[in-house]
Amino acid sequence: MTKSALQIARAAYQPKVPAALKGAVKAVEGEYTQSVADQEEIKKLFPYTYGMPVVTFEKTHDVQVKPAVNAGVILSGCQAPGGHNVIAGMFTGLKAINPDSKLYGFILGPGGLVDHNYMELTADIIDEYRNTGGFDMIGSGRTKLEKPEQFDKGLEILKQLGISALVIIGGDDSNTNACVLAEYYKAHNAGVQVIGCPKTIDGDLKNEQIETSFGFDTACKVYSEVIGNIQRDCNSAQKYWHFIKLMGRSASHIALECALQTQPNICIISEEVEAKNMSLDDIVTYIAGIVAKRAAEGHNFGTVLIPEGLIEFVPAMKRLIAELNDLLAKNDAEFKMIKKSEQRAYIISKLTKENADLYASLPEGVARQLSLDRDPHGNVQVSLIETEKLLSEMVAKKLADWKAEGKYNGKFAAQHHFFGYEGRCAAPSNYDADYCYSLGYTASCLIAAGETGYMSSIRNTTAPASEWIAGGIPITMMMNMEKRHGEMKPVIQKALVKLDGAPFKAFAAQRDNWALTTSYVYPGPIQYFGPTEVCDQPTKTLQLEQAK
Amino acid sequence: MTKSALQIARAAYQPKVPAALKGAVKAVEGEYTQSVADQEEIKKLFPYTYGMPVVTFEKTHDVQVKPAVNAGVILSGCQAPGGHNVIAGMFTGLKAINPDSKLYGFILGPGGLVDHNYMELTADIIDEYRNTGGFDMIGSGRTKLEKPEQFDKGLEILKQLGISALVIIGGDDSNTNACVLAEYYKAHNAGVQVIGCPKTIDGDLKNEQIETSFGFDTACKVYSEVIGNIQRDCNSAQKYWHFIKLMGRSASHIALECALQTQPNICIISEEVEAKNMSLDDIVTYIAGIVAKRAAEGHNFGTVLIPEGLIEFVPAMKRLIAELNDLLAKNDAEFKMIKKSEQRAYIISKLTKENADLYASLPEGVARQLSLDRDPHGNVQVSLIETEKLLSEMVAKKLADWKAEGKYNGKFAAQHHFFGYEGRCAAPSNYDADYCYSLGYTASCLIAAGETGYMSSIRNTTAPASEWIAGGIPITMMMNMEKRHGEMKPVIQKALVKLDGAPFKAFAAQRDNWALTTSYVYPGPIQYFGPTEVCDQPTKTLQLEQAK
């Protein structure tokens, strides 16, 4: 593998860990816990892992020689910066328990456990991947660990390798499943502990106990770097409106964080759109209004940040899509016989008034996408819609109407961008490198303490790393019951942007000013070697949340 | 202006300059020069600025007090990282001549000179912009300085402000025009010197005398950062082919440099396509061939770099576009009467056989774009074609054919990216920060030496900055005669990728290996504070060119 100069220099970085983890630790139990909601049902479903206490690790002088442990690790779901450091931290933690401990990685995600596809992770391999981005050390996958057959199949290989503890690194669903697996193995006296680690770029796995998920910090910094560069271009050329779509289907944390970092003219937050019951036309009118106001000042340029999942948060669009899915399923044969040029009129004639009007207002390309490109289940593929182009087309149309009415007199030209893959595998920032390494090390401490059904937890992360607090949170504590595929299931609550939370409030207080003045901030690229105020800052989201 | 932590820390960076420029300098004249071609004609067109000697600046102990100089500066054309540092270096250079010297910036490009739109650039302003990206300090513009009326109009404001020297920062055309202006002012005894500075992100302004244009280094590093991140993702997820289009309409230097930095599976070089007379189908077959070979090894993923200007380098496409332009101009009225659904057939019926076949082979969207979206002169807008999507669609089709024939058995899914605006206004790398500052400082030395019609030049830039060589090159030396808009004009030769040059040869020697193995390199983000091997490296292109 040819390495870049930065990769070689960065390999030498020793991730910072909480002072408590330097040397022998003891597990201190806190209060017994309850799930955030639906306590009775969750308790019934998790008799063996419900109600356990929060655990914190503290320094101890009582150094005990412990037996070697064989542990396994799985990367689950989409890549996030820092995954390799979780594994590296875990490796160091296992060796601290006993130098003869072994770590096995299951290949290409949870499927590796079920299919008995694994490799031993030795010091050489760990050294090769410490502080690097990507999940390519062992690969990741989307297989869901949900069924007893999978658990049993997995247990075979765990037994064969003498593995007594498994760490699953993943998002809310993967951690829910980790807890189900922990419960199953405990109920069946399998002798295998299961520990989870919180990962999502989208930032939607966080709560009172989990400050943030790893990867969010790095990815937002990469996106903010390129958004800042685009904004500097925008402000130099003064001739384009840049519509920038950002990762985040089920929550707008990334768009919000990037807005706080770069101060764009406009940022749409899906959760607000839903809460205010805004229509697509409301959003378009809001954007066009700011374009017109800036044009009146002679500023025919600007930036708009858009979360990837926006369309699915617009209540009227949700209703339209639901009716379309029904309509097209019911009339599939008839629909397929209709000439392409007449499909739009056909659909409009069949929809209820409200939905017909909305459908008629959509640009041709989007309307076609909504009726033609359906997934194997026949459903509209909302994720294929290029929201950034949809919005800019509709804004252009609205502005043309206003121009005809004499209400607007400016020039409007748009450029489009979508950032997702650019940040998911970036080398972790110092924050993520330290946070992940600490999460992995703590996972090993939880293993040594004999815990199962816990999520590794590092708190107080806006303080210097030495002051971070390491511990474990019972996963059941974060659960409630939700409907999934028509069935009530115990799941970890997804964290959406809270409209009464400090990050959104800080944004809302400044956005009208950012809209009209040009107050762009240019964060620049992630730095690994500079002064601490440049290299070691957590996200604005976290700083604002923790400042309360 | 709210500044990011990095911007604040970076403001303190003192750009490195050649040792010769530290203290008093003297201009040492080299040999008298000739234009690269068409010597007689160029000499006739530039009687006052032709044949001047190359100038080099050397340290001197003969410190002379010189009178104050008022100078002007213009940013011309599209933004490139480091423009602000050229101005900062120039400012410092002018103050070194005499602390009472003044610098004026003309606003929004050459138009600012003609329209008398300017501002004085004081130390406060310079401090605010040193080491930052963008051209927002005074703005840029695309007005071409070509006509005597413009020159005379400009001279009015220059006289009024007592400006005796003008520095024009721009690409090949802007520097050609700078020389025309220098010649004009000298011929008319206007008492205004004109100096050029070489800027292009595309990297196509370089030659025996000019090693590189500023901005190329930084922009390529930003693009390589995100390409590297995408490649790490590609190698982790192992399920997509990423088609990545990169800036560079008239030359493929950026794609080539990014390929050398990141080692993708495929990189297309427009100049090679033209030289080998490759058709679109040849390119598609080449890409599909590698996709198929990788699929046979179980690798259904990869990366393809594509230069923005590719289509215009495909000889057959050039012929098709030329015939389409003629055809649609001649039959405009008739064409507009034809139903949309019948336009394609109409065009095919009218084209000559070769062009009709090619047109028929294009995906519907591209074919429509070629016939419908024409510019105000009625010409096809090649730049609007999404080449990355065109190629991936055609590759998918080819693979489907091969699958039907049993020649291919894999999965092919594509993602698309286009990087341009992301890098044009990034904060300059150390290389560009130093190079630009030195170029600006040298421009002031050329002013002090009384020169005109010169381009500021910094050579030996693969050595440490202290060993760089500062001087000036007569602009006429880089000129030849070329047909522009039907007329023969004296212009600076555009530098295309040389197929017998070291950078292309290095790429060509390795590409077959990169195609099949996965040899991705992950350069990571530009670093400003780390070890010198990370922070101070010039581009691979320059290293290979200078190694000869």
Side-chain angles (χ1 to χ4, degrees), chain A residues 118-132:
Chain A
Y118 65 90
M119 65 192 283
E120 191 187 337
L121 299 173
T122 58
D124 283 2
I125 298 173
I126 298 290
D127 286 347
E128 195 79 347
Y129 285 92
R130 194 180 288 107
N131 307 320
T132 63

PDB file of all heavy atoms in Angstrom, chain A residues 118-132:
ATOM      1  N   TYR A 118     -13.713 -14.366   9.129  1.00  0.00           N
ATOM      2  CA  TYR A 118     -13.028 -13.570  10.166  1.00  0.00           C
ATOM      3  C   TYR A 118     -11.525 -13.516   9.913  1.00  0.00           C
ATOM      4  O   TYR A 118     -10.992 -14.243   9.080  1.00  0.00           O
ATOM      5  CB  TYR A 118     -13.276 -14.177  11.553  1.00  0.00           C
ATOM      6  CG  TYR A 118     -12.663 -15.547  11.693  1.00  0.00           C
ATOM      7  CD1 TYR A 118     -11.338 -15.695  12.160  1.00  0.00           C
ATOM      8  CD2 TYR A 118     -13.356 -16.698  11.335  1.00  0.00           C
ATOM      9  CE1 TYR A 118     -10.748 -16.950  12.241  1.00  0.00           C
ATOM     10  CE2 TYR A 118     -12.781 -17.947  11.415  1.00  0.00           C
ATOM     11  CZ  TYR A 118     -11.471 -18.075  11.869  1.00  0.00           C
ATOM     12  OH  TYR A 118     -10.874 -19.293  11.938  1.00  0.00           O
ATOM     13  N   MET A 119     -10.845 -12.642  10.638  1.00  0.00           N
ATOM     14  CA  MET A 119      -9.382 -12.638  10.629  1.00  0.00           C
ATOM     15  C   MET A 119      -8.892 -12.220  12.014  1.00  0.00           C
ATOM     16  O   MET A 119      -9.567 -11.473  12.724  1.00  0.00           O
ATOM     17  CB  MET A 119      -8.841 -11.671   9.567  1.00  0.00           C
ATOM     18  CG  MET A 119      -9.167 -10.202   9.824  1.00  0.00           C
ATOM     19  SD  MET A 119      -8.826  -9.132   8.369  1.00  0.00           S
ATOM     20  CE  MET A 119      -7.057  -9.007   8.493  1.00  0.00           C
ATOM     21  N   GLU A 120      -7.720 -12.717  12.405  1.00  0.00           N
ATOM     22  CA  GLU A 120      -7.171 -12.244  13.668  1.00  0.00           C
ATOM     23  C   GLU A 120      -6.502 -10.894  13.428  1.00  0.00           C
ATOM     24  O   GLU A 120      -5.810 -10.702  12.426  1.00  0.00           O
ATOM     25  CB  GLU A 120      -6.153 -13.240  14.259  1.00  0.00           C
ATOM     26  CG  GLU A 120      -5.819 -12.845  15.696  1.00  0.00           C
ATOM     27  CD  GLU A 120      -4.696 -13.650  16.347  1.00  0.00           C
ATOM     28  OE1 GLU A 120      -4.437 -14.786  15.894  1.00  0.00           O
ATOM     29  OE2 GLU A 120      -4.077 -13.117  17.281  1.00  0.00           O
ATOM     30  N   LEU A 121      -6.750  -9.956  14.319  1.00  0.00           N
ATOM     31  CA  LEU A 121      -6.154  -8.627  14.195  1.00  0.00           C
ATOM     32  C   LEU A 121      -4.928  -8.550  15.097  1.00  0.00           C
ATOM     33  O   LEU A 121      -5.042  -8.562  16.322  1.00  0.00           O
ATOM     34  CB  LEU A 121      -7.183  -7.556  14.557  1.00  0.00           C
ATOM     35  CG  LEU A 121      -8.426  -7.571  13.644  1.00  0.00           C
ATOM     36  CD1 LEU A 121      -9.486  -6.608  14.157  1.00  0.00           C
ATOM     37  CD2 LEU A 121      -8.047  -7.248  12.211  1.00  0.00           C
ATOM     38  N   THR A 122      -3.775  -8.486  14.456  1.00  0.00           N
ATOM     39  CA  THR A 122      -2.522  -8.452  15.198  1.00  0.00           C
ATOM     40  C   THR A 122      -1.986  -7.021  15.270  1.00  0.00           C
ATOM     41  O   THR A 122      -2.498  -6.127  14.608  1.00  0.00           O
ATOM     42  CB  THR A 122      -1.490  -9.333  14.487  1.00  0.00           C
ATOM     43  OG1 THR A 122      -1.356  -8.832  13.141  1.00  0.00           O
ATOM     44  CG2 THR A 122      -1.945 -10.784  14.428  1.00  0.00           C
ATOM     45  N   ALA A 123      -0.944  -6.840  16.060  1.00  0.00           N
ATOM     46  CA  ALA A 123      -0.377  -5.493  16.259  1.00  0.00           C
ATOM     47  C   ALA A 123       0.036  -4.868  14.934  1.00  0.00           C
ATOM     48  O   ALA A 123      -0.144  -3.661  14.727  1.00  0.00           O
ATOM     49  CB  ALA A 123       0.812  -5.571  17.214  1.00  0.00           C
ATOM     50  N   ASP A 124       0.595  -5.679  14.036  1.00  0.00           N
ATOM     51  CA  ASP A 124       1.002  -5.173  12.716  1.00  0.00           C
ATOM     52  C   ASP A 124      -0.160  -4.543  11.961  1.00  0.00           C
ATOM     53  O   ASP A 124      -0.030  -3.471  11.369  1.00  0.00           O
ATOM     54  CB  ASP A 124       1.499  -6.337  11.829  1.00  0.00           C
ATOM     55  CG  ASP A 124       2.888  -6.762  12.225  1.00  0.00           C
ATOM     56  OD1 ASP A 124       3.419  -6.170  13.189  1.00  0.00           O
ATOM     57  OD2 ASP A 124       3.425  -7.685  11.573  1.00  0.00           O
ATOM     58  N   ILE A 125      -1.267  -5.253  11.949  1.00  0.00           N
ATOM     59  CA  ILE A 125      -2.450  -4.759  11.227  1.00  0.00           C
ATOM     60  C   ILE A 125      -2.976  -3.495  11.893  1.00  0.00           C
ATOM     61  O   ILE A 125      -3.286  -2.503  11.230  1.00  0.00           O
ATOM     62  CB  ILE A 125      -3.546  -5.849  11.184  1.00  0.00           C
ATOM     63  CG1 ILE A 125      -3.028  -7.081  10.430  1.00  0.00           C
ATOM     64  CG2 ILE A 125      -4.821  -5.325  10.547  1.00  0.00           C
ATOM     65  CD1 ILE A 125      -3.955  -8.280  10.472  1.00  0.00           C
ATOM     66  N   ILE A 126      -3.063  -3.532  13.214  1.00  0.00           N
ATOM     67  CA  ILE A 126      -3.568  -2.367  13.956  1.00  0.00           C
ATOM     68  C   ILE A 126      -2.698  -1.142  13.646  1.00  0.00           C
ATOM     69  O   ILE A 126      -3.215  -0.045  13.396  1.00  0.00           O
ATOM     70  CB  ILE A 126      -3.573  -2.664  15.475  1.00  0.00           C
ATOM     71  CG1 ILE A 126      -4.511  -3.835  15.795  1.00  0.00           C
ATOM     72  CG2 ILE A 126      -3.927  -1.407  16.269  1.00  0.00           C
ATOM     73  CD1 ILE A 126      -5.980  -3.561  15.634  1.00  0.00           C
ATOM     74  N   ASP A 127      -1.382  -1.340  13.653  1.00  0.00           N
ATOM     75  CA  ASP A 127      -0.471  -0.214  13.385  1.00  0.00           C
ATOM     76  C   ASP A 127      -0.700   0.378  12.003  1.00  0.00           C
ATOM     77  O   ASP A 127      -0.544   1.574  11.788  1.00  0.00           O
ATOM     78  CB  ASP A 127       0.986  -0.662  13.495  1.00  0.00           C
ATOM     79  CG  ASP A 127       1.393  -0.876  14.946  1.00  0.00           C
ATOM     80  OD1 ASP A 127       0.630  -0.429  15.840  1.00  0.00           O
ATOM     81  OD2 ASP A 127       2.447  -1.498  15.191  1.00  0.00           O
ATOM     82  N   GLU A 128      -1.062  -0.470  11.071  1.00  0.00           N
ATOM     83  CA  GLU A 128      -1.266  -0.045   9.681  1.00  0.00           C
ATOM     84  C   GLU A 128      -2.503   0.860   9.561  1.00  0.00           C
ATOM     85  O   GLU A 128      -2.581   1.660   8.643  1.00  0.00           O
ATOM     86  CB  GLU A 128      -1.462  -1.312   8.828  1.00  0.00           C
ATOM     87  CG  GLU A 128      -1.344  -1.120   7.360  1.00  0.00           C
ATOM     88  CD  GLU A 128       0.116  -1.043   6.916  1.00  0.00           C
ATOM     89  OE1 GLU A 128       1.032  -0.898   7.767  1.00  0.00           O
ATOM     90  OE2 GLU A 128       0.338  -1.118   5.726  1.00  0.00           O
ATOM     91  N   TYR A 129      -3.447   0.694  10.453  1.00  0.00           N
ATOM     92  CA  TYR A 129      -4.736   1.379  10.285  1.00  0.00           C
ATOM     93  C   TYR A 129      -5.035   2.447  11.338  1.00  0.00           C
ATOM     94  O   TYR A 129      -6.047   3.129  11.238  1.00  0.00           O
ATOM     95  CB  TYR A 129      -5.870   0.348  10.266  1.00  0.00           C
ATOM     96  CG  TYR A 129      -5.947  -0.431   8.967  1.00  0.00           C
ATOM     97  CD1 TYR A 129      -5.274  -1.641   8.811  1.00  0.00           C
ATOM     98  CD2 TYR A 129      -6.675   0.056   7.889  1.00  0.00           C
ATOM     99  CE1 TYR A 129      -5.341  -2.351   7.622  1.00  0.00           C
ATOM    100  CE2 TYR A 129      -6.749  -0.642   6.695  1.00  0.00           C
ATOM    101  CZ  TYR A 129      -6.085  -1.850   6.568  1.00  0.00           C
ATOM    102  OH  TYR A 129      -6.149  -2.540   5.383  1.00  0.00           O
ATOM    103  N   ARG A 130      -4.177   2.566  12.357  1.00  0.00           N
ATOM    104  CA  ARG A 130      -4.472   3.547  13.411  1.00  0.00           C
ATOM    105  C   ARG A 130      -4.559   4.946  12.812  1.00  0.00           C
ATOM    106  O   ARG A 130      -3.761   5.322  11.971  1.00  0.00           O
ATOM    107  CB  ARG A 130      -3.412   3.497  14.510  1.00  0.00           C
ATOM    108  CG  ARG A 130      -3.841   4.227  15.782  1.00  0.00           C
ATOM    109  CD  ARG A 130      -2.788   4.183  16.871  1.00  0.00           C
ATOM    110  NE  ARG A 130      -2.655   2.863  17.484  1.00  0.00           N
ATOM    111  CZ  ARG A 130      -1.637   2.028  17.283  1.00  0.00           C
ATOM    112  NH1 ARG A 130      -0.640   2.382  16.502  1.00  0.00           N
ATOM    113  NH2 ARG A 130      -1.607   0.855  17.866  1.00  0.00           N
ATOM    114  N   ASN A 131      -5.558   5.704  13.190  1.00  0.00           N
ATOM    115  CA  ASN A 131      -5.790   7.105  12.748  1.00  0.00           C
ATOM    116  C   ASN A 131      -6.133   7.251  11.268  1.00  0.00           C
ATOM    117  O   ASN A 131      -6.053   8.356  10.734  1.00  0.00           O
ATOM    118  CB  ASN A 131      -4.575   7.994  13.062  1.00  0.00           C
ATOM    119  CG  ASN A 131      -4.150   7.926  14.508  1.00  0.00           C
ATOM    120  OD1 ASN A 131      -5.000   7.888  15.393  1.00  0.00           O
ATOM    121  ND2 ASN A 131      -2.852   7.911  14.771  1.00  0.00           N
ATOM    122  N   THR A 132      -6.506   6.163  10.617  1.00  0.00           N
ATOM    123  CA  THR A 132      -6.922   6.280   9.212  1.00  0.00           C
ATOM    124  C   THR A 132      -8.445   6.271   9.115  1.00  0.00           C
ATOM    125  O   THR A 132      -9.137   5.799  10.015  1.00  0.00           O
ATOM    126  CB  THR A 132      -6.377   5.124   8.353  1.00  0.00           C
ATOM    127  OG1 THR A 132      -6.934   3.884   8.830  1.00  0.00           O
ATOM    128  CG2 THR A 132      -4.867   5.037   8.415  1.00  0.00           C
TER     129      THR A 132
END
